Structures are given as structure tokens and as C-alpha cells.
């Protein structure tokens, strides 16, 4: 055996990578065995592992996914001839020296210019299956007509039995090879952007192929632009296609391409060609393939939608079984739930980032609750709330007599949490001397109590959180780089509330129910105007500020619905967004405040501190008021 990866597309095109190691990681990070320095690749994208005689490819939660034969995978055993897509890189997996690339094999688009003339152009509305007045194959018109109708019936039965997109494409091309004298075929599918080809499935009649198939982008562009099927024989002599690089390189003599259209939307292209000068496609082939494409396009789109729904269902099932106290259905929150589901079963250290009030501790607790350590302690400590000495004693504990007041031995958080999880909030506030001791815990899994000499082994998982820019702190020498890399194994960033405004109604309703019960005051919900005003506010204090706002409204409100006037002035002062309905009271109050502030600033010659004195308020409150009222 000679297992290897051949790069057939991308920046490393032409390079061969022998698979001599038992494990090869792909990614943008230089620490990977196969470093792919391109922004289309995640830092740790995927992993190729050898298990006996088998090679298994595993996606590592990459942003752009890992593909095998144009299909996204999480874990996939590889077979000779499989095509691997990692970002913009395309690899061919080969096992033996004489591997044949049959079945599904790498298919690419070449570069080319859009052309405006073709040999035969057939639009779908012009396609008719019956042309009894002429025949070019030796069959009588009636016999050919009967055969073509039989072909379509057989095709309908075959594609309805296909269970996956790959199987459907394979059956479709195999079936076409039985009735059209093509040597090679490909199905190119587009995504939401109908101008971009996202997958190409290629197949050949031949048993042996030594190089990947290339589809001319000249032809693809022409079919896409015209929305019509096209046919060309004697391609090498054609002024239209004779300069296309892939056609010249492959010595193509005959070519046929048909659009795949569903509900007047182009979803892909069916492409056939032959390099045999004795083989020619005729107009009946073109009409038959147009009819085939009409049937196949619907089946392909249905299978694609079904596979998407199955993937979405699996994701939702994972979220349903994920135990957490977080609220949100926005894309940002769904991404966080997916990351928690992936990282929770492991022992990897997690660094949670985000502004104050975004719920970093809730994420840490969710990771713990869904981990094998869920039955063990979850110990949280705020590094910013204690001095360096007290924090050290809290984390590591101390021996009797270690310092004045240490009248008895005390266990630290690391010892109490043995087998469980320690959550260090505001990690960026920890002093460098204590950072060094924490690094030893992470590396050696042991520590000593303050005043002690005996190492204590610990088995714990560390989750850290910060709202500071740790990269900037490293440059300023206030945070250790080696500790940062130990903490930042998996990073989760909580979005601020202003970046997930669609979650505000659900959060507000949850807090309303919570404080209605706590304050023993029946409040059933919020008015539509109140929800609109909450969604238009920027929430510098994030979810914590929203919770305090709802609690205040429940306590001070006088109706069973929270009204706009129950909200604090900081929200009412802010300029409403365009189209948001406001009351006459709100408009009058805001305009009065504007005039008072402007008059005070004018009297103080623009000095905000003097203006605040004139208004009898603190300068910081005046500054906030100026910002909310959008005054210059």
C-alpha cells in the first residue's frame, strides 16, 4: 500500500502528501501536521486517523465544514478515489499505486470566458420528446420514441428509490450512460447564491481514470446565462469552445449540457462529454436529457431539502437534550448551544469571553451539567472580588499556622472541586504571580496549600471567563502568554444583547414571570410598545441590565401588563428608532430635557461640568443624558 493525498485544487495544487503517520491534523494553525495557511480553513479543521487498514476523516467543528465527495461529514471512513474538500483545498485519497478513480471522482471547473455562440441551443419550453420525422441513431422514429418513454419511466422509479444525494447522483449518471453515448458525466449544484457552484459530482463509464475530470466554466457560464441546454460536436474545431482550457486538455470532441431548473430557479447543470471522435450527440439526445433534467431536478432538490431537514432535526435534538438555563433562539445562541454540546463531554479547558452581563457563568454551568463530571462539585470564584493573598488562599487552601489568623487547616477550591469543575470568573484580573501557580495546576495537575510542602493531586476541569482583551494584556505584560494558550483550548464568545435583539421578547417574558411570582404581583406580560422599546435599546449592561429593568417595572408598575412608562428614564431618553410609535408624553418629556440641557450648556459655554452644576446633577449623569438624547 502507498496511502497518500494528492492535491488537485487550491493553493497547493499538484503536491502529494504521503500518509505515513497514524494521525494527521489539518488546519491553519502551524501546529497541525498539514498546515493549510488559508482563511477558508479553520485553525483546527479536521483529523485523518489510521485505524488498522482503514483511514477515518473526522471534522473538528470547523467553520466551513469538511466535505467528502461534495457532502459535509462529521466522521467518514475513506475509500480509494474519495475527494476531500478542506476550505478551498481539494485532495484525492489514494491507497495503492494502481488505484483507479472510478465511481465518483474529483471534478473541477476550469477558468474561462463566457461565450455567446453555440452549435445547438435548446430552451426548456422548446424541448419536445417526440420528433418522429427524423432520427440519427438507426432506430425507427417509433422505436426511439418508445425507448425514450421507457427511459423516463425507469428513471422515475430509480430516483425515487435513492436514499441520499450521492446515491441519487450516481444512479442518475449510470442511468444516462445506458442511453447516451457519453464517456463522462457530472452534476454541478448551486447554493443560495445561484451564481456559485457549491458541489460537483463526477462519474465515468471507464474502469480506469488517471486524472481528475474538469468541467469547462465556459460551458457552465453559457448554460447559466442562457438557461438553455446546449450541444456541440467537433468541439476542438469549434470557434465557440475550441479555446476552453479543460476541453482542449481532455481532447473533448462532443459535449452536452442541460440546466437543472425547479420552479424557474436554476439549481444546477447536468454535463456530459466524450473524447471519442466517432461518437456524436444528436438533437434527440439533447431533447431526452432536457426531459431527464426536468424530472431529476425536482428529485435532487427534494433530497437536498430532506438532508438539510435531517441535519436541522439532529441539531435541534441535541439542543433539546442539552441541559442549560439560557434563553435564546437567535443564530448566535444556537451556535453557542452547539459548541457546548460538543465540548461538554470532553475535559478540555474552556475560555468564555464576552461583555459583562452576557451570562458567562450560565455557559460554564451548562458545560458542567452536560459533562461526565455533572455529579461532582461545580465551584465558582470571582478573581476580581478578592485580593491576591485572599484569592491564593481561596484557590489552594492553607495549612494551620501558615500566616497570622490561620488557626486551622483549610481546603481550597481546587481541593473541594476534585473530580468536578472550577469556574474562574474575571480571569483577566488575576495577578502574574498567581497566574504562574495556576499554570502549574493545569500542567502538572497538582498544587500545594499555602504554607504546605506536600503536593496534592487534583482531577478537575477548569473553565475561565473574562471580559478583558487578553491578547492586549499579554502585550502589556499583565497576563502570561503560556497561561493564555493553556486556557484558550476552546473559546466561546457570548454575544452582547444588542447583537441578538430577537431574543429580547423571550428574555423579558421570562423575567416578568420570575419577578411576578417573587414579588407576589400578578403581571401577565408586556405591551407591544414596551417590547418594541426594549428591542430598540442598546443594553450596555446586557442581560443583567434587562433583568434589573424588568424587576423594577414589575415592582413599580400598576397594571397587569408592563407599560412603556414603567421603564427607567435611561431607556425612555434614548432616541426611538425610525417607525417606532411613541406616546405624546414621551415625545414632550424628551424634547423638554433636550431644551434644558442645551440651555445649560449654552450658559456654561459648552463646559459639561459647569452645565451639570447648573442643572443640579452629576457630570456623568449629564454625559449619559447627552448621549441618550444624541446631542452634540
Amino acid at each position: 500500500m502507498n496511502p497518500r493525498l494528492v492535491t488537485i485544487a487550491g493553493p497547493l495544487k499538484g503536491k502529494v502528501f504521503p500518509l505515513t503517520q497514524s494521525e494527521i491534523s489539518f488546519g491553519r494553525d502551524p501546529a497541525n501536521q498539514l498546515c493549510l495557511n488559508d482563511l477558508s480553513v479553520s485553525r483546527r479543521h479536521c483529523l485523518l486517523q489510521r485505524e488498522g487498514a482503514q483511514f477515518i476523516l473526522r471534522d473538528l467543528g470547523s467553520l466551513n465544514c469538511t466535505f467528502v465527495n461534495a457532502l459535509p461529514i462529521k466522521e467518514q471512513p475513506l475509500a480509494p478515489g474519495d475527494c476531500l474538500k478542506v476550505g478551498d483545498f481539494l485532495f484525492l485519497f489514494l491507497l495503492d499505486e494502481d488505484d483507479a478513480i472510478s465511481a465518483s471522482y474529483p471534478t473541477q471547473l476550469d477558468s474561462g470566458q463566457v461565450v455567446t455562440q453555440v452549435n445547438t441551443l435548446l430552451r426548456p419550453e422548446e424541448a419536445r420528446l417526440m420528433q418522429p420525422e427524423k432520427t440519427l441513431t438507426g432506430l425507427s422514429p417509433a422505436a426511439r420514441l418508445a425507448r425514450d418513454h421507457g427511459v423516463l419511466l425507469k428513471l422515475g422509479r430509480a430516483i425515487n428509490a435513492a436514499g441520499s444525494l450521492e446515491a441519487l447522483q450516481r444512479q442518475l449518471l449510470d442511468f444516462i450512460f445506458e442511453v447516451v453515448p457519453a464517456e463522462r458525466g457530472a452534476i454541478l449544484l448551486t447554493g443560495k447564491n445561484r451564481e456559485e457552484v457549491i458541489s460537483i459530482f463526477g462519474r465515468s463509464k471507464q474502469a480506469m481514470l488517471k486524472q481528475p475530470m474538469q468541467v469547462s466554466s465556459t460551458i457552465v457560464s453559457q448554460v447559466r446565462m442562457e438557461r438553455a441546454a446546449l450541444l456541440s460536436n467537433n468541439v476542438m474545431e469549434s470557434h465557440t469552445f475550441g479555446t476552453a482550457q479543460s476541453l482542449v486538455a481532455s481532447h473533448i470532441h462532443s459535449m452536452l449540457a442541460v440546466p437543472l431548473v425547479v420552479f424557474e430557479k436554476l439549481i444546477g447543470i447536468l454535463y456530459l462529454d466524450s473524447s471519442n471522435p466517432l461518437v456524436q450527440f444528436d438533437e434527440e439526445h439533447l431533447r431526452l436529457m432536457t426531459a431527464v433534467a426536468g424530472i431529476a431536478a425536482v428529485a435532487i432538490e427534494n433530497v437536498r431539502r430532506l438532508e438539510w431537514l435531517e441535519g436541522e432535526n439532529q441539531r435541534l435534538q441535541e439542543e433539546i437534550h442539552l441541559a442549560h438555563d439560557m434563553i435564546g433562539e437567535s443564530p448566535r445562541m444556537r451556535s453557542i448551544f452547539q459548541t457546548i454540546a460538543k465540548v461538554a463531554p470532553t475535559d478540555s479547558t474552556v475560555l468564555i469571553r464576552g461583555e459583562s452581563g452576557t451570562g458567562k457563568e450560565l455557559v460554564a454551568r451548562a458545560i458542567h451539567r452536560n459533562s461526565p463530571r455533572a455529579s461532582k462539585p461545580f465551584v465558582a470564584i470571582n478573581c476580581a472580588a478578592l485580593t491576591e493573598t485572599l484569592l491564593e488562599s481561596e484557590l489552594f487552601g492553607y495549612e494551620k499556622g501558615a500566616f497570622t489568623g490561620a488557626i486551622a487547616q483549610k481546603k481550597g477550591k481546587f481541593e473541594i472541586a476534585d473530580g468536578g469543575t472550577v469556574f474562574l470568573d474575571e480571569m483577566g484580573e488575576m495577578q502574574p504571580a498567581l497566574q504562574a501557580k495556576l499554570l502549574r495546576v493545569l500542567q502538572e495537575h497538582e498544587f500545594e496549600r499555602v504554607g504546605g510542602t506536600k503536593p496534592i493531586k487534583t482531577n478537575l476541569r477548569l473553565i475561565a471567563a473574562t471580559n478583558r482583551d487578553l491578547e492586549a494584556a499579554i502585550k502589556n505584560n499583565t497576563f502570561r502568554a503560556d497561561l493564555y494558550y493553556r486556557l484558550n483550548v476552546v473559546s466561546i464568545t457570548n454575544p452582547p444583547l444588542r447583537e441578538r435583539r430577537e431574543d429580547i421578547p423571550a428574555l423579558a417574558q421570562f423575567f416578568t414571570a420570575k419577578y411576578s411570582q417573587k414579588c407576589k404581583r400578578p403581571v401577565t406580560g408586556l405591551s407591544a410598545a414596551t417590547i418594541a422599546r426594549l428591542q430598540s435599546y442598546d443594553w450596555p449592561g446586557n442581560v443583567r441590565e434587562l433583568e434589573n429593568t424588568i424587576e423594577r417595572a414589575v415592582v413599580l408598575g400598576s397594571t397587569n401588563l408592563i407599560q412603556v412608562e414603567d421603564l427607567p428614564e435611561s431607556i425612555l431618553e434614548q432616541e426611538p428608532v425610525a417607525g417606532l410609535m411613541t406616546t405624546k408624553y414621551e415625545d414632550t418629556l424628551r424634547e423638554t430635557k433636550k431644551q434644558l440641557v442645551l440651555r445649560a450648556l449654552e450658559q456654561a459655554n459648552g463646559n459639561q461640568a459647569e452645565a451639570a452644576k447648573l442643572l443640579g446633577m452629576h457630570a456623568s449623569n449629564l454625559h449619559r443624558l447627552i448621549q441618550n438624547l444624541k446631542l452634540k
Side-chain angles (χ1 to χ4, degrees), residues 87-148:
D88 291 337
F89 295 81
L90 202 62
F91 301 95
L92 182 64
F93 174 69
L94 299 177
L95 200 56
D96 296 312
E97 291 292 349
D98 56 347
D99 271 338
I101 310 171
S102 57
S104 167
Y105 62 98
T107 311
Q108 306 169 243
L109 287 174
D110 75 339
S111 58
Q113 301 297 320
V114 178
V115 294
T116 56
Q117 297 178 351
V118 294
N119 292 38
T120 303
L121 194 65
L122 182 68
R123 303 186 186 280
E125 60 270 19
E126 301 168 344
R128 300 191 310 276
L129 194 57
M130 292 182 285
Q131 288 283 319
E133 67 275 8
K134 62 177 182 177
T135 179
L136 303 175
T137 62
L139 291 176
S140 67
R144 186 162 185 172
L145 180 61
R147 186 204 66 178
D148 290 350

Side-chain angles (χ1 to χ4, degrees), residues 122-385:
L122 182 68
R123 303 186 186 280
E125 60 270 19
E126 301 168 344
R128 300 191 310 276
L129 194 57
M130 292 182 285
Q131 288 283 319
E133 67 275 8
K134 62 177 182 177
T135 179
L136 303 175
T137 62
L139 291 176
S140 67
R144 186 162 185 172
L145 180 61
R147 186 204 66 178
D148 290 350
H149 277 295
V151 163
L152 295 180
L153 290 173
K154 183 180 176 182
L155 172 65
R157 290 193 297 268
I159 62 178
N160 287 332
S164 67
L165 181 60
E166 182 180 2
L168 173 59
Q169 293 179 114
R170 180 181 292 109
Q171 288 185 15
L172 177 60
L173 289 176
D174 283 349
F175 176 78
I176 289 172
F177 290 149
E178 294 180 10
V179 294
V180 176
E183 293 179 344
R184 307 184 306 170
I187 298 173
L188 299 83
L189 300 179
T190 61
K192 291 183 179 180
N193 176 8
R194 302 296 176 180
E195 301 300 313
E196 180 184 4
V197 175
I198 62 169
S199 74
I200 308 177
F201 183 91
R203 200 156 169 79
S204 174
K205 264 186 179 179
Q206 300 177 10
M208 300 288 289
L209 282 172
K210 294 300 184 183
Q211 60 184 5
M213 173 181 174
Q214 287 193 338
V215 178
S216 170
S217 61
T218 304
I219 294 171
V220 171
S221 298
Q222 183 69 14
V223 174
R224 182 191 294 130
M225 183 175 65
E226 298 286 350
R227 293 291 183 91
L230 63 87
L231 162 69
S232 179
N233 290 308
N234 299 318
V235 170
M236 302 301 291
E237 300 175 8
S238 169
H239 294 293
T240 304
F241 302 123
T243 58
Q245 296 177 10
S246 61
L247 299 177
V248 173
S250 303
H251 305 289
I252 300 302
H253 285 270
S254 300
M255 172 278 305
L256 188 154
V258 183
L260 297 169
V261 179
V262 177
F263 300 124
E264 299 184 357
K265 293 182 179 179
L266 182 75
I267 68 162
I269 294 171
L270 173 62
Y271 171 87
L272 304 170
D273 69 26
S274 174
S275 58
N276 187 346
L278 301 179
V279 170
Q280 288 194 343
F281 303 134
D282 58 37
E283 291 188 22
E284 290 304 306
H285 291 135
L286 189 62
R287 295 181 188 280
L288 176 60
M289 287 303 99
T290 302
V292 167
I295 298 173
V298 176
I300 289 172
E301 186 69 359
N302 287 340
V303 171
R304 286 209 295 182
R305 288 180 180 273
L306 180 61
E307 290 187 349
W308 181 85
L309 287 172
E310 289 176 346
E312 188 72 359
N313 180 60
Q314 182 179 354
R315 181 192 65 76
L316 291 173
Q317 288 295 329
E318 289 175 354
E319 288 187 15
I320 289 172
H321 293 101
L322 184 70
H324 63 82
D325 296 321
M326 291 173 284
I327 296 173
E329 286 295 325
S330 61
R332 296 286 297 275
M333 291 306 296
R334 288 184 177 183
S335 176
I336 288 177
F337 297 152
Q338 291 173 14
T339 303
I340 292 173
K342 291 177 181 179
V343 75
T346 72
D347 274 337
S348 299
T349 305
V350 181
L351 178 61
I352 306 172
R353 297 173 178 247
E355 297 177 8
S356 180
T358 54
K360 295 187 285 294
E361 184 169 344
L362 290 179
V363 174
R365 289 186 180 276
I367 293 172
H368 174 74
R369 287 170 61 182
N370 294 277
S371 73
R373 300 174 180 269
S375 61
K376 299 296 183 179
F378 175 88
V379 179
I381 187 166
N382 190 328
C383 299

Side-chain angles (χ1 to χ4, degrees), residues 5 57 67-68 78 82-86 89-93:
L5 289 177
L57 185 66
F67 294 82
V68 174
L78 297 181
D82 278 349
C83 181
L84 287 59
K85 186 176 185 294
V86 180
F89 295 81
L90 202 62
F91 301 95
L92 182 64
F93 174 69

Side-chain angles (χ1 to χ4, degrees), residues 453-470:
T453 57
K454 180 182 176 182
I456 299 172
K457 288 288 184 181
T458 183
N459 171 24
L460 57 84
R461 180 184 198 170
L462 185 68
I463 301 177
T466 183
N467 59 10
R468 289 187 59 190
D469 185 346
L470 294 185

